[in-house]
Amino acid sequence: MAPVFGRRLRRGAVTSAVAAAAVAALAASQAPGVTDVPRDGSTAGAADTPPGDSATGDSPYYTDLPRLKSPNPLPPNGGDKEAEAGVPATVLDAYKKAGATLADTKPGCNVPWQLLAAIGKVESGHAWGGRVDANGTTLKSITGPPLNGDGFAKITDTDRGVLDGDTTHDRAVGPMQFIPSTWATSGQDGNNDGKKDPNNVYDAALAAGHYLCANDRDLADEDDLHKAILSYNRSTEYLNTVLSWLEYYRKGTHVVPDGKGVLPDDRSDDRTRNPILRPVGPGGDGNRDMTGTYEPPRTNDKPGNGGNPGNGGHPGNGGNPGNGGNPGNGGDKPAPTPTEQVARLQDAGTGTLAATAGDAFAGRVQVRTASKSGSGVAKVKVKFRVVGDTDTRFEGGARSVIVTTNAAGRATAPVLKAGEKTGQFTVRATVVGRKLTGLDYAAKVTARQADALVRTSAEPLVCEAGKEFAGQVELKATYKGRAAAGVATTATLVTSATDASANDKGPYFKDANGKPLRVLRGLTTDANGLLKLPKLYADDAAGTYLLRVVTAGGATVTVELKVTAPTTPTDPPTSTTPPATTPGAPTTAATPTA
């Protein structure tokens, strides 16, 4: 089933690369919550579509397509540039700034600014040809049709008409066509003016990038890229159209003055020749109020074709009908790109990938792109991605990175920094833009370790039975002579030097309820490798006891604890001295007993 793209598709052929992408897209679109939309782009239904089900509420969009391979290559000295590649200055600046911001704030998402440009082209024709002010705000509000279920999703009003001017149904708003409910959760302040305005191209472009990055997507991954685009508008035709512009803009763009961009022509619902989106406001330049539509000029308003009919506004084919925009002789076959020359991906000496939690991995993934002849291929993008349940990341916090091969065809991944989660995961290397078998490398993070453990004090630990020890046990863990922070530790009051089981008498710790506790687990050394144990108490059993503390890595220390018998109370002394008498008092003589 071939998707219908509108008049522009009927005028020109789509490259085989896009056809292949379309097939892949159909498979990728089967993600939960993603449905293939009928070829007219509609999502009609009696019930409301859940707000936020897509960024645009599946509003209609422009289906104009670029010529992915120009029949006449651009002159080496610059010359006249293809009009469709021009992006209005302020709008282009907004796309690039959003891409740069996202590279810092969401490095693992890998959002190319060209993707924002592709969506901006399809959604609003780059803010209606760049009709924005110096701050990037559209001169007129760009508003889609009411989402009333008549050929579109049905979404009743969610913002009381504040953003879209409609108090009955929601409408998509602004150059990136956000519905109000989605803007409420995804809106951004891209120009740092303290406001989040869907009609401002800086705010809207940054918001689009954040929306595309949802669910921890990595847009350098083809499947994630397709899912992201489909989340914006749930139509495989929409996906294919955006992919076409993405490929086109990756091959080059140039700046045109604001307001002079090529205006869109065809739209997905194709009901009339009017555009779907209209600058709304009181008259002045042919605009009507909210109930009217804005009809743009069809030829003279498009730079680059001199207003001549027959070539769709594209230079280079002379306006001759019947050739679909392709040269009559088929043109010279272009040389394969470096990516197209890659036949396989090879390991290039990757060592063991292992590290202790919190440390940098000593080994780095190294691969080589090879042609059919076995020679290395330079200038090829290789993607390295951390796969699995781990918090290990590349330098800078990125889960995935793209590295371009050097002259020998080699690409080396950045240093990996182990997180706190222990266990195994995978580092996957793939060639960007090619369906080649990738390489998987096993990596492992082990728990933080200590190879030595000592008491910080030599003070004997003595306590009288039934009382508490005066001091607390403090220890220091080290690894290769350096303080070992975050090392898991267990403390046990053992039965004897040869029996490591917990004792059932003698000193003890207390649990949260004050009950005796003779094993402490889950202890961790601090940033300086220190560990201070809780207070110790003695029961009524006197004797010498042992406290054994063991760390991850096997460092062990045994501490001696002495419990003395309780002190016995002393009876008062007995006197043999006769009691004193008072002078003059009668003396009573003892009467002898018979």
Side-chain angles (χ1 to χ4, degrees), residues 353-435:
L353 299 178
T356 301
D359 290 346
F361 280 70
R364 296 167 68 178
V365 178
Q366 301 179 66
V367 298
R368 178 177 180 267
T369 53
S371 65
K372 289 183 179 179
S373 65
S375 59
V377 184
K379 298 182 179 179
V380 175
K381 291 181 177 180
V382 176
K383 175 187 170 185
F384 299 98
R385 186 179 188 185
V386 175
V387 180
D389 184 14
T390 179
D391 55 355
T392 294
R393 296 291 185 267
F394 291 109
E395 286 179 314
R399 192 180 184 95
S400 64
V401 294
I402 294 178
V403 178
T404 302
T405 57
N406 61 16
R410 295 171 65 98
T412 301
V415 172
L416 278 166
K417 178 69 179 296
E420 296 302 322
K421 191 176 185 63
T422 60
Q424 291 189 330
F425 62 95
T426 299
V427 179
R428 181 168 297 157
T430 55
V431 176
V432 177
R434 288 298 303 273
K435 287 289 187 180

Side-chain angles (χ1 to χ4, degrees), residues 276-303:
I276 12 170
L277 312 177
R278 61 186 188 279
V280 175
D285 60 353
N287 293 308
R288 301 181 185 177
D289 59 19
M290 283 292 291
T291 61
T293 58
Y294 177 68
E295 179 68 30
R298 289 295 167 201
T299 55
N300 293 336
D301 208 23
K302 291 190 177 184

